[in-house]
Amino acid sequence: MNKYNPKEIEKKWQKFWLEKGTYKNYDREKKFYALDMFPYPSGAGLHVGHPKGYIATDTVARFKMLQGYSVLHPMGWDAFGLPAENFAIKNKTNPNVFTAKSVAVFKKQLEMFGFSYDWDREINTTDPEFYRWTQWIFLKLFEKGLAYESNEPINWCPSCKTGLSNEDLEDGKCERCGSEVEQKPMRQWVLKMTDYADRLLNDLDTEGLDWEEMIVSQQRNWIGRSEGAQFEMEVSGAKEKIEVYTTRLDTVFGMTYAVVAPEHPIIEKMKGNLENYAEIEVYVSKSQKKTAFERVEMQKEKTGVEMKGVKIINPFNGEKLPLFVADYVIGGYGTGAVMAVPAHDERDWEFAKKFDLEIRQSVAPDYNENISGKVFTDDGALVNSGEYSGMKSQIASEKMTAWLEEKKIGVKKVNYKMRDWVFSRQRYWGEPIPIIHCEKCGPVAVPEEELPVKLPEVENYEPTGTGESPLSAITDWVNTTCPKCGGKGKRETNTMPQWAGSSWYYLRYIDPKNSKALVDKEKEEEWMPVDLYVGGAEHATRHLLYARFWHKFLFDIGAVSTKEPFKKLVHVGLILAEDGRKMSKRWGNVINPDEVIEKFGADAMRVYEMFMGPFTQSIAWSTNSVTGAYRFLEKAWRTQLKTQNSKGNIEIENQKLKSLLHKTIKKVGEDIENFRFNTAISQLMILTNAFEKEETVNTKYYAEFLILISPFAPHMAEELWEKLGHKESIFKETWPEYDPELIKDEEIELILQVNGKIRDRMKVPADISEEEAKRIALASEKIKSNIADKDIRKIIFVKGRLINIVI
RNA sequence: GCCCGGAUGGUGGAAUUGGUAGACACAAGGGACUUAAAAUCCCUCGACCGCAAGGUCAUGCGAGUUCGAGUCUCGCUCUGGGCACCA
């Protein structure tokens, strides 16, 4: 026997698998689509944390292959976006060059792991043949009125010099560069994601959708549905009305003022009626200059200005109340105006305290508590509320809403925190938005047959900062004819955001070379939905929301057959550095997979990352522990010497070993299914340790063991499989079945307890009867001495486990 | 503030969902082999008491339910993540 030499065998089998197309079994009856969130290739390459998810997906893919599924397991590159562009700016090279290099680095690294990808299906979002269909989807959205131009103020990153969507912010800062984001009004393309809010929320409960609660609740939160009422209030002193939204209509008799956001159009409209317009104007322009971050920071200190000269009228009691403009009310949510009830809302309470406004209680707690001098935000029973007094909050809300609807001054209303998707970026390295602006016809779609609108070469990639992309400088690209009227037209120069290509890429793997459609209908129906999707939790409210939105749209236009794209979603837990911090160049604690593979081999690294702990948990890397995985593989390798096959003897059955093997078949299969790779491997270790203790191991047992370990350590399993004399790949084999009879223990250790404390244990037959167990227990010296002269009150017997004597 | 998690030896973690707490590994210590080292193999390894048999305590803290709680209930503490002036 030669020594276990991962370097040699790993290269050998990677070549073999690729040449033989071992994984391309696409004509089986059952299908399984295993997908990873595709990487953004960067020049730096991978650290050991990146491949963890890919290893898990590959393990499951190989397991499914062995179970007789056709497995689709592709990989590709999400390559548009800022890092490549910033590199291009710095080095004055085309981002294409940088992207190609990065892809090569990544691909080489991934190949070292021996993943079972079908590289013939490789895609790249920057490939015109790919983004042609990204543009096609945009045109469809435009056609259905779901892509529109807007001039609302949006998040603007002054450093990246581009507009951003809400999903692109972190703590009010640019997610990319950390700069504080400003509000800047500018022309931009927006996708009407809010039209899908209800479905994006409700379909999270789709039967069979197997998503972790963590991710589901994050999406629910982000969508932020709330139910309430919207109603209008007359403004006395001006012929205007203000609409407000509230989820607590029951507190309406406690309203003592109202507030509009600084962006509210009513301010401009009532200009003539306002005694202190100048003061208001100063406040409005000041608050507009505040960054999102500053506005949040100001939380503690509420600011605002009364709009003198006008009053609003509470429709429920006709009361005339003051109106304020204050930036604690957000322009973009609800109606941008609220009724203020300081007694029952914390923000209104703070504001009223500061401006010395009346605080009037209208709801009393239905539990015993003195609320005077405090804000009370729970439901309760109404007080000081006219005919509604005495009613419970919920009933009162319903009655009041009905009254509003009857008077035709209000309606029941659902609101969402989620906004429409700001879809244009004033940058170079993205898909061109396929629109032509015509003076006569307005924005006109580029005809489908002219797709893709290719990204032209430019001399300068630097963003202009003016709200125009660098593309605007290429006049012979920009200037074109209007497809509608044939007159002069100008191309849209904004590009799509990073998230565009990734919002539908999983469909393209199914049919990557189709030039007639983004995906062939029949093939789509064959493969969708994705059965397993693995990736980082940081995408819960970005990529996963966008992709679901596009998928639902594609479903509506008949391009796909399923409502939801991803059936099972699992998030991968981070691998931290050995010091417990995040791996980062900044800390100098990055571990490179190339070095680990060089030292221990890809199989040991794969086994270690699956063994290190629960898959979704963040765990620190430990190079020491990789040794353990390596030793395990060596031990498994050595077992080949114990097979009778190698000795030419007659095969001998070993009941104990056979039973353990069948237990292992059961456990490993179930554990892979449930993403409990750590315990699956531990069981394989137990079996290996048992093999080690035997003189000889039946070749049949060893062969089955090799199949069990093959999803985790494919190279080694394949090599040993060949050594057993097989000509075909181990991945053409069938996952073994366990015999339920064999996994039953014949003998168990019965636990003898007195009052729940263990006093003795006995080897007994597994199917021991209660009577027999009692007899044995009462005969035990240790039990006897513990019972002594006390009375036995009852005896509890748990079959196959324990007997407990209560005294 | 709101939502979702987590807390078990020196370390990573197991525990069939209420039934032997610490599987499997890593580290550490001791031993075998060796001129020596590496590799490998064997033993010890939660704490305390005891020569031993054995006993007591122990799953973040405090109560409770139960014959029996790491697991269930209530109340806390710490901690990771997400959202956040969303009316």
Side-chain angles (χ1 to χ4, degrees), chain A residues 658-659 661-667 669-670 704 735-743:
Chain A
K658 198 171 182 181
S659 167
L661 172 68
H662 280 249
K663 276 183 192 158
T664 307
I665 294 170
K666 179 172 193 280
K667 180 146 181 69
E670 286 171 0
E704 293 201 346
W735 190 260
E737 270 180 46
Y738 65 89
D739 179 347
E741 283 305 309
L742 279 171
I743 61 172

Side-chain angles (χ1 to χ4, degrees), chain A residues 751-761 780 782-783 786:
Chain A
I751 301 304
L752 310 181
Q753 295 182 327
V754 175
N755 280 356
K757 288 202 175 194
I758 298 156
R759 296 301 175 186
D760 203 0
R761 40 193 94 198
S780 152
K782 286 176 192 161
I783 296 295
N786 271 288

Side-chain angles (χ1 to χ4, degrees), chain A residues 12-13 717-728:
Chain A
K12 167 183 164 188
W13 291 109
E718 190 78 285
E719 176 74 15
L720 290 167
W721 187 253
E722 188 191 48
K723 280 173 175 284
L724 286 183
H726 295 96
K727 296 277 177 274
E728 271 278 24

Side-chain angles (χ1 to χ4, degrees), chain A residues 129 132-133 135-136 139 445-453 483 515:
Chain A
E129 279 312 301
R132 162 191 194 164
W133 299 105
Q135 291 174 333
W136 181 86
L139 287 183
V446 170
E448 265 181 46
E449 58 276 12
E450 284 177 28
L451 296 183
V453 175
S515 58

Side-chain angles (χ1 to χ4, degrees), chain A residues 37 215 218-219 499 535-545:
Chain A
M37 290 184 191
I215 307 281
Q218 270 184 49
Q219 281 215 1
W499 310 104
E538 70 275 17
H539 291 117
T541 51
R542 296 192 182 107
H543 161 60
L544 285 170
L545 198 64

Side-chain angles (χ1 to χ4, degrees), chain A residues 196 203 548-556 563-564:
Chain A
Y196 283 75
D203 291 353
R548 290 182 63 229
F549 163 42
W550 275 30
H551 193 85
K552 285 175 189 303
F553 170 71
L554 291 173
F555 176 80
D556 290 349
K563 288 187 179 173
E564 283 289 329

Side-chain angles (χ1 to χ4, degrees), chain A residues 225-334:
Chain A
R225 183 191 145 98
S226 75
E227 255 177 59
Q230 190 167 311
F231 65 95
E232 53 185 43
M233 292 194 279
E234 283 177 33
V235 180
S236 82
K239 283 202 172 75
E240 295 289 345
K241 280 172 183 171
I242 291 176
E243 266 202 299
V244 295
Y245 173 73
T246 179
T247 54
R248 288 299 302 277
L249 190 57
D250 57 308
T251 66
V252 72
F253 281 84
M255 173 175 14
T256 53
Y257 63 98
V259 188
V260 298
E263 300 91 330
H264 203 287
I266 198 95
I267 300 169
E268 193 59 34
K269 280 193 200 162
M270 294 193 303
K271 198 171 172 177
N273 308 77
L274 297 170
E275 292 162 15
N276 58 341
Y277 184 74
E279 190 191 351
I280 292 166
E281 209 178 12
V282 170
Y283 180 77
V284 167
S285 71
K286 226 161 101 194
S287 67
Q288 267 167 357
K289 274 196 207 113
K290 282 185 194 170
T291 61
F293 183 69
E294 278 169 338
R295 252 174 105 145
V296 172
E297 276 300 282
M298 293 296 157
Q299 253 182 76
K300 299 146 213 150
E301 261 310 281
K302 296 263 183 297
T303 61
V305 180
E306 186 176 353
M307 297 169 74
K308 287 186 181 142
V310 298
K311 297 273 178 198
I312 53 103
I313 299 166
N314 181 344
F316 283 87
N317 55 15
E319 233 179 322
K320 286 188 182 176
L321 301 166
L323 179 63
F324 285 79
V325 52
D327 65 6
Y328 80 89
V329 171
I330 300 163
Y333 183 77

Side-chain angles (χ1 to χ4, degrees), chain A residues 644-697:
Chain A
Q644 283 89 342
N645 188 320
S646 67
K647 298 184 170 175
N649 294 338
I650 305 151
E651 303 284 359
I652 301 160
E653 295 281 1
N654 175 332
Q655 281 312 313
K656 242 173 83 185
L657 217 49
K658 198 171 182 181
S659 167
L660 183 61
L661 172 68
H662 280 249
K663 276 183 192 158
T664 307
I665 294 170
K666 179 172 193 280
K667 180 146 181 69
V668 172
E670 286 171 0
D671 282 354
I672 293 177
E673 205 77 63
N674 294 305
F675 265 69
R676 293 191 301 242
F677 307 110
N678 53 334
T679 50
I681 289 170
S682 122
Q683 182 66 31
L684 287 167
M685 287 172 170
I686 291 169
L687 182 62
T688 310
N689 290 343
F691 282 162
E692 182 96 330
K693 290 206 165 59
E694 299 292 333
E695 280 285 310
T696 59
V697 173

